[in-house]
């Protein structure tokens, strides 16, 4: 007998139970379907939330790494002007290579659409490159500091050397000055000394004349004192007689004094033997002389030995 015949032979109660079972089964299936759909949505929502959380975490990691990268650049650029201390630029080259890799990874994270797993790999690569960059910057700054300290040490040594050189130059200047003074002292010691300088007027008879207007000859006399340090030999004495009007009398030629040529009234050559000797130098008057103060100067061996004023009356 088939299922249909069995169903037809059921009484009313059995049919009710049968229909109830079918209805219960349908409800259970419907509940299972609803639960499956609900669980699927919830799973999707959880996965979506997890993806969003992971994306936020990756964005935060990227931001932190970007800030760290920017700080490293700032630290590096702060000492960029001190690269002159480096003997080679290998550190700078390494830094630039690592920096370009970091910038490339940051650019990929900004513009390429990757899933979180791929982005996480980029973040890991970025962390590794920034760690490398950090090590280079640390080594770079240590090298800059070391070389800077060496340079400061060299500066101090140079300053000390300069100070010693200045001291030596000062000592040399003092020694040179002392030597010059000594040389001048020696030269002065060799200078001839004269005393008793006088100016006398003579008339046409060769006698002393008190009236200067009648003078036909002027004579300058002096005594050369003994000086063993002076060089013996022939000595030229030059006489300058300046009138009250300020004019040099006579035209007795010239002599050298401190590199300049100086005119004189008259001159005379004598032999000096380091002993006392009297010298007289004469000038024949060739103009009318006036009363007043006359200046007499005596020169020899490039020195002015005396300068004296005489009042000649009428």
């Amino acid at each position: 007998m088939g299922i249909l015949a069995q169903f037809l032979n059921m009484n009313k109660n059995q049919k009710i139970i049968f229909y109830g079972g079918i209805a219960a089964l349908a409800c259970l299936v419907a509940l299972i379907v609803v639960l499956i759909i609900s669980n699927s949505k919830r799973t999707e929502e959880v996965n979506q939330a997890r993806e969003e959380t992971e994306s936020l975490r990756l964005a935060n990691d990227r931001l932190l790494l970007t800030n760290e990268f920017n700080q490293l650049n700032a630290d590096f650029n702060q000492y960029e002007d001190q690269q002159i201390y480096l003997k080679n630029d290998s550190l700078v080259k390494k830094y630039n290579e690592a920096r370009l890799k970091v910038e490339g990874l940051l650019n990929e994270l900004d513009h390429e659409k990757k899933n979180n797993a791929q982005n996480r790999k980029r973040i890991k690569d970025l962390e590794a490159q920034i760690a490398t960059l950090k090590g280079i910057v640390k080594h770079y700054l240590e090298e800059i500091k070391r070389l800077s300290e060496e340079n400061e040490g060299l500066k101090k040594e140079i300053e000390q050397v300069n100070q010693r050189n200045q001291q030596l130059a000062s000592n040399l200047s003092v020694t040179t000055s002392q030597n010059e003074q000594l040389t001048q002292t020696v030269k002065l010691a060799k200078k001839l000394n004269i005393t008793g300088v006088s100016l006398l007027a003579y008339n046409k008879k060769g006698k002393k004349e008190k009236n200067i207007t009648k003078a036909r000859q002027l004579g300058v006399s002096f005594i050369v004192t003994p000086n063993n340090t002076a060089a013996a030999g022939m000595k030229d004495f030059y006489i300058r007689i300046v009138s009250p009007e300020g004019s040099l009398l006579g035209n007795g030629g010239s002599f050298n004094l401190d590199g300049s040529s100086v005119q004189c009234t008259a001159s005379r050559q004598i032999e000096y033997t380091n002993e006392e000797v009297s010298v007289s130098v004469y000038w024949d008057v060739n103009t009318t002389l006036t009363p007043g103060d006359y200046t007499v100067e005596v020169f020899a061996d490039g020195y002015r030995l005396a300068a004296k004023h005489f009042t000649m009356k009428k």
Side-chain angles (χ1 to χ4, degrees):
M1 182 182 294
I3 295 174
L4 179 59
Q6 291 178 358
F7 176 75
L8 293 175
N9 292 325
M10 288 182 181
N11 57 33
K12 185 178 180 180
N13 289 333
Q14 288 176 331
K15 288 181 179 181
I16 292 173
I17 293 172
F18 177 77
Y19 284 122
I22 292 175
L25 180 60
C27 289
L28 180 61
V29 171
L31 178 60
I32 291 172
V33 171
V34 169
L35 288 174
I36 291 173
I37 294 174
S38 175
N39 185 61
S40 176
K41 288 183 178 179
R42 187 175 300 171
T43 301
E44 184 179 347
E45 289 176 355
V46 169
N47 290 336
Q48 185 176 355
R50 185 180 294 117
E51 287 288 329
E52 290 177 356
T53 301
E54 180 66 11
S55 296
L56 289 174
R57 184 181 296 110
L58 291 174
N60 183 65
D61 290 344
R62 182 202 175 286
L63 179 61
L64 293 176
L65 291 172
T66 301
N67 290 338
E68 190 171 3
F69 174 64
N70 292 335
Q71 184 60 50
L72 288 172
N73 273 328
D75 292 341
F76 184 85
N77 294 332
Q78 181 181 358
Y79 295 92
E80 189 174 7
D81 59 337
Q82 298 186 38
Q83 291 179 13
I84 56 174
Y85 295 134
L86 294 176
K87 296 178 181 178
N88 58 67
D89 60 352
S90 61
L91 283 175
V92 178
K93 183 178 179 181
K94 289 180 180 178
Y95 174 84
N96 288 330
E97 291 174 352
R99 177 178 57 81
L100 289 175
K101 289 181 181 179
V102 172
E103 289 176 348
L105 289 169
L106 289 174
N107 186 62
E108 289 180 11
L109 285 171
D110 283 338
H111 298 93
E112 294 184 15
K113 299 301 181 182
K114 303 285 185 180
N115 58 40
N116 285 341
Q118 292 172 319
N119 287 339
R120 171 53 63 188
K121 184 178 183 305
R122 291 286 188 273
I123 290 292
K124 290 294 183 183
D125 293 340
L126 188 59
E127 288 176 346
Q129 289 299 329
I130 287 182
T132 300
L133 195 63
K134 188 184 298 184
I136 294 174
V137 171
K138 180 181 179 182
H139 184 50
Y140 172 82
L141 297 182
E142 288 175 350
E143 187 72 3
I144 288 290
K145 181 180 178 182
R146 183 182 66 81
L147 294 174
S148 178
E149 290 174 351
E150 287 183 2
N151 188 62
E152 287 299 321
L154 289 175
K155 284 183 178 179
K156 289 181 180 179
E157 289 182 10
I158 291 173
E159 289 177 359
Q160 291 173 355
V161 170
N162 287 336
Q163 289 175 357
R164 287 196 294 269
N165 288 341
Q166 290 176 359
Q167 185 62 45
L168 289 174
S170 177
N171 293 340
L172 178 61
S173 177
V174 171
T175 302
T176 301
S177 177
Q178 290 173 345
N179 289 340
E180 289 176 351
Q181 292 176 2
L182 181 59
T183 301
Q184 186 65 21
T185 300
V186 172
K187 289 176 66 177
L188 291 175
K190 293 180 179 180
K191 173 186 171 183
L192 295 174
N193 295 312
I194 63 174
T195 60
V197 180
S198 64
L199 174 64
L200 296 175
Y202 299 91
N203 57 28
K204 60 183 179 180
K205 295 181 179 181
K207 296 185 180 293
K208 293 179 182 180
E209 178 62 58
K210 293 182 179 181
N211 188 344
I212 189 64
T213 61
K214 294 181 180 181
R216 294 295 176 268
Q217 191 179 57
L218 294 179
V220 176
S221 299
F222 51 87
I223 297 173
V224 182
T225 60
N227 186 353
N228 291 328
T229 60
M234 302 306 294
K235 301 291 183 181
D236 293 313
F237 290 88
Y238 301 93
I239 308 301
R240 282 172 54 88
I241 303 174
V242 180
S243 69
E245 293 78 21
S247 300
L248 177 67
L249 300 179
N251 186 16
S254 62
F255 62 96
N256 185 274
L257 182 67
D258 295 331
S260 300
S261 180
V262 180
Q263 296 296 317
C264 67
T265 302
S267 64
R268 182 183 174 184
Q269 187 179 72
I270 67 166
E271 184 177 2
Y272 179 68
T273 60
N274 300 109
E275 296 179 352
E276 183 176 288
V277 58
S278 297
V279 181
S280 294
V281 184
Y282 297 96
W283 171 69
D284 294 331
V285 176
N286 56 14
T287 186
T288 301
L289 299 178
T290 59
D293 291 334
Y294 286 76
T295 301
V296 174
E297 296 177 299
V298 182
F299 298 85
D301 292 340
Y303 292 99
R304 187 171 73 168
L305 305 182
K308 195 170 183 180
H309 300 286
F310 299 90
T311 300
M312 308 302 285
K313 297 180 181 179
K314 182 176 180 180

